[in-house]
C-alpha cells in the first residue's frame, strides 16, 4: 500500500470506465494527461510544505536536504510563485483548468478553462456560488461547452501557457482579495476576477447566468476570506 493509498489498479479501472470505447493509443494519451495532472498536484503539495517551513524559519539548505536536492535547486524550484497566497482549493482549480485545456487539446489556458476548473473544485465557495445562481452544475457546464474553441488536432506536451485574459483575471483575483482585506486568494476571488475581465468568455458566460460584478463582490465580501 502506498502512503496515499492510491493503487495503480484503481487508476486503470477509472480510466477504462470513463473511456469505454477508446483504443489503446487513445488511452495512452489520456494516461499521459492524467500523469501530468498528478505531477502538478505533487509539486503543489511540496510547495505547500516548503512555504510552511520557510515561515517557520527553515533555511533553504535544510529544505533542500528534506527534498533531496541542493540548496540552489530548492530555491529555483520552490521559490514563492504567483499562486503563493492561493488557497489549496483555488490551486487545485488552476490544475483542473490546465487539465481541461489538455483534454480539449487547446494550446493555451483561457478564462473558460479557469471557469471549468472552479466548477471542478466542489469544496470551493466559487462552486457553491456558481451552482446557486445557475440552478445546476450542468447548466454552467453547458454554457462553458458552447464557449470552448474547437478541439486541437493533437494532444500537447509540457507546459500550457495562460492567455493574457487569464493572466488578467488571476491578477484581478489578487486585487479583489486585497481590496476586501482577505489574507488568502480563494476560489471566490478568482470568480470575481473572471467577471472583472469584461471581454473574456468567462465574464460573458457569467453575465448570461445572471451575475453582476457588484452583486458578486457583495457575496464575496460577506462570505469570502475564511
Amino acid at each position: 500500500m502506498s502512503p496515499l493509498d492510491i493503487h495503480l489498479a484503481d487508476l486503470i479501472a477509472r480510466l477504462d470506465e470513463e473511456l469505454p470505447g477508446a483504443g489503446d493509443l487513445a488511452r495512452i494519451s489520456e494516461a499521459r494527461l492524467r500523469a501530468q495532472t498528478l505531477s502538478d498536484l505533487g509539486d503543489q503539495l511540496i510547495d505547500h510544505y516548503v512555504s510552511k517551513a520557510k515561515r517557520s524559519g527553515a533555511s533553504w539548505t535544510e529544505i533542500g536536504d528534506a527534498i533531496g536536492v541542493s540548496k540552489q535547486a530548492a530555491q529555483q524550484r520552490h521559490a514563492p510563485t504567483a499562486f503563493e497566497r492561493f488557497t489549496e482549493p483555488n490551486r487545485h482549480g488552476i490544475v483542473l483548468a490546465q487539465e481541461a485545456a489538455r483534454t480539449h487539446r487547446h494550446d493555451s489556458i483561457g478564462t473558460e478553462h479557469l471557469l471549468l476548473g472552479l466548477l471542478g473544485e466542489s469544496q470551493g465557495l466559487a462552486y457553491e456560488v456558481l451552482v446557486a445562481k445557475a440552478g445546476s452544475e450542468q447548466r454552467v457546464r453547458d454554457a462553458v461547452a458552447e464557449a470552448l474553441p474547437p478541439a486541437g488536432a493533437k494532444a500537447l506536451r509540457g507546459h500550457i501557457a495562460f492567455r493574457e485574459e487569464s493572466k488578467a483575471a488571476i491578477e484581478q483575483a489578487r486585487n479583489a482579495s486585497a481590496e476586501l482585506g482577505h489574507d488568502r486568494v480563494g476560489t471566490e476571488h478568482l470568480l470575481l476576477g473572471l467577471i472583472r475581465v469584461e471581454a473574456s468568455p468567462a465574464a460573458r458566460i457569467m453575465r448570461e447566468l445572471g451575475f453582476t460584478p457588484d452583486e458578486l463582490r457583495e457575496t464575496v465580501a460577506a462570505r469570502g476570506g475564511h
Side-chain angles (χ1 to χ4, degrees), residues 55-110:
R55 289 195 295 270
S56 299
S59 69
W60 280 113
T61 298
E62 292 171 322
I63 291 172
D65 289 342
I67 298 173
V69 299
S70 68
K71 168 187 173 180
Q72 291 77 12
Q75 283 180 299
Q76 291 174 359
R77 289 165 53 183
H78 301 285
T81 68
F83 304 111
E84 184 182 19
R85 291 179 53 242
F86 277 43
T87 61
E88 291 308 311
N90 208 10
R91 290 187 182 202
H92 185 226
I94 296 292
V95 172
L96 293 177
Q98 183 183 59
E99 183 178 16
R102 288 187 191 280
T103 299
H104 291 89
R105 301 192 295 276
H106 295 154
D107 60 4
S108 59
I109 301 171

Side-chain angles (χ1 to χ4, degrees), residues 155-222:
L156 299 174
R157 298 180 181 276
H159 175 71
I160 300 179
F162 290 99
R163 292 182 205 153
E164 290 304 316
E165 64 191 20
S166 297
K167 293 179 183 177
I170 291 170
E171 184 60 31
Q172 287 293 339
R174 295 194 198 95
N175 293 342
S177 176
E179 290 166 9
L180 295 169
H182 296 160
D183 294 333
R184 306 295 301 279
V185 183
T187 60
E188 66 275 16
H189 301 112
L190 183 53
L191 193 64
L192 190 53
L194 288 171
I195 201 171
R196 287 183 173 186
V197 185
E198 297 181 356
S200 70
R204 177 177 56 78
I205 291 168
M206 292 173 68
R207 289 194 297 267
E208 291 174 353
L209 292 173
F211 284 98
T212 65
D214 290 343
E215 179 188 14
L216 182 57
R217 188 182 189 281
E218 291 178 5
T219 299
V220 173

